[in-house]
Amino acid sequence: MTRTLALVQWTLRPDRDDDAPPLTHRFRCLTLTDDDSECGAVSEPHTDPVDAQAWTFRHLRDHPEHTSYAEVIERPWVMWRGGRA
Ligand SMILES: [Zn+2]
């Protein structure tokens, strides 16, 4: 995506540089509790999605009624000056 702001052209792109933060996966528990609020428990971020998925089984073991989850993927992006005209 490219936009021109104050006569400076900026481009937004996924950050795949060697020093970019890693893409990470987490899981969050979506199960509603007795007061209809979300459990909200969240795994640590992992670069391997299988490691993040393993957290859901540990959470289910401790909370057998918690069966609904969302995967949260964090992908680094970066703005840089220039790009295609
Ligand atoms: Zn939960």
Side-chain angles (χ1 to χ4, degrees):
M1 172 181 287
T2 300
R3 295 281 190 270
T4 300
L5 303 173
L7 302 179
V8 176
Q9 190 172 51
W10 289 92
T11 298
L12 175 67
R13 63 167 171 80
D15 191 351
R16 297 188 180 100
D17 293 347
D18 290 340
D19 61 348
L23 186 152
T24 59
H25 305 260
R26 292 182 296 143
F27 274 84
R28 188 178 85 236
C29 181
L30 300 177
T31 302
L32 296 179
T33 59
D34 291 340
D35 65 357
D36 279 345
S37 63
E38 199 176 272
C39 166
V42 180
S43 74
E44 293 294 315
H46 295 276
T47 54
D48 185 339
V50 173
D51 291 337
Q53 292 167 9
W55 174 86
T56 64
F57 290 92
R58 292 192 300 273
H59 190 68
L60 179 67
R61 182 189 61 213
D62 296 338
H63 307 276
E65 69 281 9
H66 291 200
T67 57
S68 183
Y69 297 89
E71 183 180 19
V72 181
I73 299 172
E74 186 169 290
R75 182 186 323 274
W77 288 66
V78 65
M79 288 279 193
W80 58 293
R81 287 176 187 255
R84 292 171 296 218

